[in-house]
């Protein structure tokens, strides 16, 4: 029995393979990014029904698209769906992704597994020549809700905090940066977003040991106070010792190692926005998300505006008002796509208290 869906410019039979309509936005953005980056050789390493790779072939104009899945049922469906959409030039493979990724090189590798991408990161780091795209749906381990699982998968300690969604994204970015560094490749995040139940990162890759060394300079740790929530970032590969918070004297704990460098490239995101316009991948939500990512200032982490107000016993205004106020005082500040009440700023916590409690 066929179970047909239409997504973007393709029609798919998804009967008997994994297909999640809630991931459509994720795939829309993937199509826009492939177009924006002019990618011509792309692997959908865990393809299921082929929704992602076939859309890349049809909508992004990539010349060589390979789709792979270990499941025979998925491979049969991918073949059927390729024929159905006139995409007979796509290469359909039925390998264990880790074997394929060790055997062959691709300009761009896309990992979209069940749960954690951790089992595929080492092989994908070898295979990807210029771009590596990763989806992770294991947000509980990444963001600190399942501490031990996060440590096992990503060799990093997350701390449950108000900016847990960004912490998860930066732990994933850090894990990818370290895997790529092992094979003498440096990483440059182009677009990072945490949406619904997943984190998605788009990485540009630069070859060479020097590029890898430079990328590792963006690794570091985050020290976070358990009592007042104040945090500071510490760059480098040495873990800072957990000590006392300078603001309230409370006990501070350490998260990391994680990526502390830039996570958005507004130029590339602008091209993705242009690629989306008038295309089957366009949605208002997609445009809003890309715009929000492009507008974020380049600073790790954010404050939860509501929690700040509670902490300082201030009457809550809006997060946008706080951003404007901080900017008018000469500080950098922006909203963030990670949270509807998140505020990114380089203003010290004392300034935030003054602004929020001013009569
Ligand atoms: N990318 C798909 C999409 O956008 O609709 C969803 C992929 S689904 C979450 C994960 C797929 O990975 C499944 O179809 C499963 O059969 C496949 N898979 C799991 N382990 C694999 C492995 N080691 N090698 C290749 N495919 C694998």
């Amino acid at each position: 029995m066929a179970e047909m869906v239409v997504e973007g410019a393709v029609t798919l039979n998804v009967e008997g393979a994994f297909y999640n309509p809630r991931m459509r936005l994720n795939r829309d953005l993937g199509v826009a990014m492939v177009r924006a980056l002019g990618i011509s050789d792309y692997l959908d390493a865990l393809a299921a029904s082929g929704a992602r790779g076939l859309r890349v072939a049809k909508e992004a104009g990539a010349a060589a698209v390979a789709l792979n899945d270990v499941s025979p049922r998925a491979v049969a469906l991918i073949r059927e769906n390729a024929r159905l959409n006139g995409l007979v030039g796509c290469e359909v493979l039925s390998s264990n992704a880790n074997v394929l990724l060790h055997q062959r090189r691709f300009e761009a590798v896309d990992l979209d597994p069940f749960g954690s991408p951790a089992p595929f990161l080492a092989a994908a780091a070898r295979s990807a020549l210029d771009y590596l795209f990763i989806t992770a749906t294991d947000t509980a381990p990444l963001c600190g809700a399942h501490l031990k699982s996060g440590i096992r998968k990503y060799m990093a300690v997350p701390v449950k905090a108000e900016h847990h969604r960004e912490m998860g994204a930066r732990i994933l970015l850090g894990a990818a940066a370290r895997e790529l560094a092992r094979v003498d490749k440096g990483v440059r995040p182009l677009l990072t977003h945490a949406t619904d139940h997943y984190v998605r990162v788009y990485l540009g890759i630069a070859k060479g040991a020097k590029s890898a060394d430079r990328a590792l300079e963006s690794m570091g740790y985050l020290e976070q106070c358990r009592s007042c929530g104040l945090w500071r970032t510490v760059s480098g590969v040495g873990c800072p010792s957990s000590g006392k918070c300078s603001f309230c004297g409370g006990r501070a704990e350490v998260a990391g190692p994680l990526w502390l460098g830039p996570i958005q490239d507004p130029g590339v995101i602008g091209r993705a926005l242009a690629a989306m316009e008038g295309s089957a991948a366009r949605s208002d939500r997609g445009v809003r998300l890309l715009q929000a990512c492009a507008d974020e200032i380049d600073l790790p982490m954010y404050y939860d505006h509501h929690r700040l107000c509670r902490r300082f016993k201030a009457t809550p205004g809006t997060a946008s008002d706080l951003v404007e106020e901080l900017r008018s005082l000469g500080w950098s500040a922006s909203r963030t796509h990670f949270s509807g009440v998140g505020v990114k700023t380089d203003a010290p916590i004392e300034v935030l208290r003054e602004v929020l409690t001013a009569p």
Side-chain angles (χ1 to χ4, degrees):
M1 268 286 284
E3 186 187 336
M4 307 306 292
V5 297
V6 176
E7 185 182 299
V10 299
T11 302
L12 304 160
N13 178 6
V14 297
E15 203 274 320
F18 180 88
Y19 172 77
N20 184 354
R22 286 180 67 209
M23 282 294 200
R24 177 183 173 149
L25 177 72
N26 184 339
R27 290 184 285 266
D28 285 345
L29 266 48
V31 168
M33 285 296 282
V34 172
R35 275 186 74 162
L37 295 167
I39 289 166
S40 58
D41 170 32
Y42 168 96
L43 171 70
D44 181 354
L46 306 144
S49 69
R52 190 177 291 274
L54 293 176
R55 288 194 60 193
V56 163
K58 185 113 182 169
E59 300 170 40
V65 172
L67 301 98
N68 176 69
D69 203 290
V70 78
S71 145
R73 174 64 193 149
V75 169
L77 268 189
I78 297 167
R79 289 215 167 92
E80 178 186 334
N81 287 330
R83 269 196 309 278
L84 194 64
N85 291 282
L87 297 167
V88 286
C90 288
E91 188 181 6
V92 183
L93 302 158
S94 54
S95 294
N96 183 313
N98 275 326
V99 174
L100 174 66
L101 291 165
H102 275 289
Q103 285 170 334
R104 277 180 60 177
R105 305 285 176 263
F106 296 88
E107 181 191 1
V109 171
D110 204 326
L111 291 181
D112 180 30
F114 293 127
S116 177
F120 305 104
L121 281 182
R126 271 188 192 284
S127 178
L129 294 173
D130 296 317
Y131 300 102
L132 176 56
F133 305 158
I134 308 168
T135 304
T137 57
D138 59 334
T139 48
L142 272 172
C143 299
H146 296 165
L147 180 68
K148 286 193 172 168
S149 172
I151 295 170
R152 283 197 308 276
K153 295 279 185 309
Y154 299 100
M155 280 294 159
V157 179
V159 165
K160 253 205 269 180
E162 60 198 76
H163 41 235
H164 62 277
R165 284 162 74 80
E166 184 165 342
M167 167 124 31
R170 288 181 180 277
I171 283 187
L172 176 61
L173 287 166
R178 283 179 291 156
E179 284 300 347
L180 285 156
R182 270 191 242 278
V183 288
D184 289 345
K185 291 176 182 173
V187 69
R188 191 166 64 89
L190 305 172
L191 168 66
T192 304
H193 65 101
T195 305
D196 300 333
H197 62 294
Y198 63 91
V199 176
R200 174 82 168 159
V201 298
Y202 294 82
L203 309 175
I205 295 171
K207 283 173 262 325
K210 286 210 170 91
S211 303
D213 291 343
R214 260 198 306 279
L216 289 184
E217 285 167 15
S218 290
M219 296 295 296
Y221 294 83
L222 183 116
E223 201 174 43
Q224 169 104 29
C225 175
R226 278 189 160 200
S227 308
C228 75
L230 178 74
W231 75 80
R232 69 180 182 114
T233 56
V234 186
S235 298
V237 290
C239 178
S241 64
S242 172
K244 278 201 166 179
C245 167
S246 58
F247 187 60
C248 77
R251 194 162 83 72
E253 50 191 358
V254 173
L258 39 76
W259 177 264
L260 294 175
I263 61 172
Q264 316 288 11
D265 181 328
V268 171
I269 298 173
R271 299 209 306 268
L273 274 164
M276 239 188 195
E277 254 345 289
S279 80
R282 190 196 180 284
S283 67
D284 289 347
R285 190 175 176 213
V287 169
R288 275 199 307 275
L289 176 57
L290 285 180
Q291 197 59 64
C293 290
D295 290 345
E296 281 174 9
I297 57 169
D298 169 26
L299 276 179
M301 307 306 171
Y302 56 89
Y303 293 96
D304 178 308
H305 178 240
H306 289 173
R307 284 203 204 187
L308 274 181
C309 291
R310 276 202 301 277
R311 205 172 286 153
F312 298 139
K313 299 185 173 41
T315 317
T318 68
S320 293
D321 287 346
L322 177 58
V323 166
E324 287 314 314
E325 182 80 13
L326 290 168
R327 285 186 184 159
S328 72
L329 294 171
W331 301 101
S332 290
S334 75
R335 305 291 302 276
T336 169
H337 87 281
F338 284 111
S339 162
V341 291
V343 173
K344 281 179 171 282
T345 183
D346 57 357
I349 192 92
E350 293 81 359
V351 169
L352 288 164
R353 178 164 59 181
E354 271 167 38
V355 168
L356 286 167
T357 56

